[in-house]
Amino acid sequence: MEKLTSGVPMDARRSERQAVDSAIAGQRVVLYTIAIDSGVAAATLNSLRKFAESLGCDVAAELYDMVPVGTPRSTRTGWLAIEQYIVDGKVQGVIATTETEIAFYRADRTALRSWLLCNKALACYLLSEHGPRSEGGVRA
């Protein structure tokens, strides 16, 4: 019998993750994280860079904000730069550790996904709440 996590069969989650990885493969992206320490941010960006390189992505920028989780995106300098990259068409997406790192609250995650769809952008996450790699993502 197939194991379930969060009501979604493991094979379905694996298939979704592979689809997201395939969609972002070869795209021009920005890496993003939040941290309370620049050393932690640098280490996280290094992991994100390795992940992006494994997917053949062209990394346009590596940005971070030194803020606590839950800080609104509209007040983050690094995130606002990412929005501009996407709006200007300089990148096709963002790679982060988790979606909650970008948008902590459920309503904010819904708004983030909507914004990405409207801008024909993709978000890919190294980790999900259910395990490693990029389960989440939105593509127009």
Side-chain angles (χ1 to χ4, degrees), residues 31-86:
L31 309 180
Y32 180 72
T33 191
I34 61 170
I36 57 169
D37 175 273
S38 60
V40 172
T44 301
L45 289 170
N46 186 50
S47 294
L48 294 174
R49 186 179 329 102
K50 288 177 182 176
F51 177 62
E53 289 170 355
S54 77
L55 296 174
C57 293
D58 176 19
V59 177
E62 300 180 14
L63 301 169
Y64 68 94
D65 285 303
M66 292 181 62
V67 297
V69 172
T71 302
R73 290 190 317 274
S74 62
T75 64
R76 301 183 200 176
T77 305
W79 181 259
L80 292 174
I82 289 172
E83 286 185 355
Q84 199 60 56
Y85 271 95
I86 290 172

Side-chain angles (χ1 to χ4, degrees), residues 69-73 99-100 102-111:
V69 172
T71 302
R73 290 190 317 274
E99 184 178 41
T100 55
I102 298 171
F104 186 73
Y105 300 102
R106 177 177 285 159
D108 196 28
R109 288 192 300 274
T110 300

Side-chain angles (χ1 to χ4, degrees), residues 13-28:
R13 287 183 336 131
R14 186 176 304 111
S15 177
E16 177 184 335
R17 185 188 73 220
Q18 290 169 341
V20 171
D21 287 355
S22 294
I24 205 162
Q27 299 295 317
R28 189 162 172 82

